[in-house]
Amino acid sequence: MLGEILQSIGEALGLAVALVFSGDPDLLEIVFLSLQVSLTATVFACVIGLPIGALVAIGRFRGRNAVLILMNALMGLPPVVVGLVVYLHLSRSGPLGFLGLLYTPTAMIIAQTILISPIVAALSRQVLEDLHAEYADQFRSLCLTRLQTIQALLWDARYSLLTVGLAGFGRAVAEVGAVIIVGGNIDHLTRVMTTAIALETSKGDLGLALALGIILLVIALGVNAAVQTVRMTAARQAYV
Amino acid sequence: MFDAMAPRTQPDNLRGTNVAPILPMSMREVVLRFGETAVLDGVSLDLGLRGCTVIMGSNGAGKSLLLKLMHGLIAPCSGSIKWGDLAPSDVMVRQALVFQKPVLLRRSVAANVDFVLKARGKGIAARDALLEHVGLLHKSAQPARLLSGGEAQRLALARALATDPEVLFLDEPTASLDPASVLVIERIVADARKRNVRVILVTHDIGQARRMADDVVFLHRGRIAEHSPASQFFPDPHSSVARDYLNGKIVV
Ligand SMILES: Nc1ncnc2c1ncn2[C@@H]1O[C@H](COP(=O)(O)OP(=O)(O)O)[C@@H](O)[C@H]1O
Ligand SMILES: [Mg+2]
């Protein structure tokens, strides 16, 4: 019994490795769409999340604590809930239905952006607040404007923020709940790695599922390694 | 361009200009409390138009806080601080403070100076002259936070000078530096002073105080024990705490 299972897993692994190295066009298409959707969502999430994180980091306003709690709570948004909410907005009867975006990569980008913007905002808030504690008196002495302060903090925290962006990307590229609802896992259109893995596993095609799983792991490790290398180079110059 | 010998573009004697003078400074009955304890307790101090005022006193006497109060980084719990006839909001931009622990940006040496020049809406043309002035031009491209203690202080000083301040606060700029670095920093400060920059210097180094001071403020437990001209303070301080301090006795 156990032997059989191990054997089938072994076969699947063999198939997976063969697929990865075969350069199968269907596989590549899925991988590229995954990267395209999640990287775009990460860029948007940074554009939205970094200014919010910076404003909350240096701001002293009423209700700041409530904002902090909200930001932290939103970090844990369940992907299926985000998917559902976006779905309700984009579906034909929804308020944005006229855009015709449901089951397109754009819808997937929107959902992932909503999912990871709070992550970028909350993590960058922490990073920028710590840095600001160090710089605040010096910046006030220089009579910097709020905008100059934010710009300087964002730039000086650049290597830490890279890790923040990576955390967002990691969450986006690995989630399945949101993209499967708003994307629909349509072959050659909205099929990404995670939704393909879910589908192939349920169909019993473990080889393709494992192949995609391996690629997903390699991408995650590769991006992490790249960011770590950049950070270590920066740390050697005391820029982190 | 930065010219170390040129007088300030707006010297304190602002003849023919409509810029209100920032000096003299007058501080009256300033109290600063953290919780129950008053760390500054009824400090009154007058600073004249020119020269170098040295602030001395043991650790925890309140010297750093006094600088930050004068600069406007913290507000007193009671009492008043007046620079010329200026509104409080117009003061800080005409002053620079070099912190006890230099706060350097996570950038190159040159970028640290550029940052200040740009923040003040100036071009970066003066940067190399400023770095040359503090002897750091050859380190322009290096990461600022890898500088030695003395170099870091000189960069902080260059950055402060980049704002073209009329008043320059220095908080123990030479603490734990080697003698050569101390002399370089003193030379830079003396140059600034010659250009009519009003210098307020906190130091523990009695030799340095003798070399630099026109007048000395001795702070003890959050109060001014003595404020005397240097010519009188060093040979014959009239407060017993200052006398003990100069004689190397531990004053707490
Ligand atoms: N933010 C603060 N909260 C409470 N106490 C403080 C704070 N900052 C400084 N102090 C206290 O005020 C006293 C004077 O500090 P400071 O001006 O830094 O002394 P120094 O003369 O050594 O520069 C010290 O006893 C210090 O512990
Ligand atoms: Mg101090």
Side-chain angles (χ1 to χ4, degrees), chain B residues 1 18 53 57 80 123 198:
Chain B
M1 285 297 281
N18 52 12
T53 299
S80 67
R198 185 72 172 86

Side-chain angles (χ1 to χ4, degrees), chain B residues 59-60 62-65 100 171-172 202 204:
Chain B
N59 284 326
K63 305 180 295 297
S64 295
L65 291 173
Q100 193 161 351
D171 196 350
E172 302 193 31
V202 172
H204 279 292

Side-chain angles (χ1 to χ4, degrees), chain A residues 86-102 104:
Chain A
V86 174
Y87 177 88
L88 291 175
H89 280 81
L90 296 184
S91 69
R92 226 179 313 147
S93 53
L96 301 175
F98 65 94
L99 295 173
L101 288 176
L102 196 62
T104 64

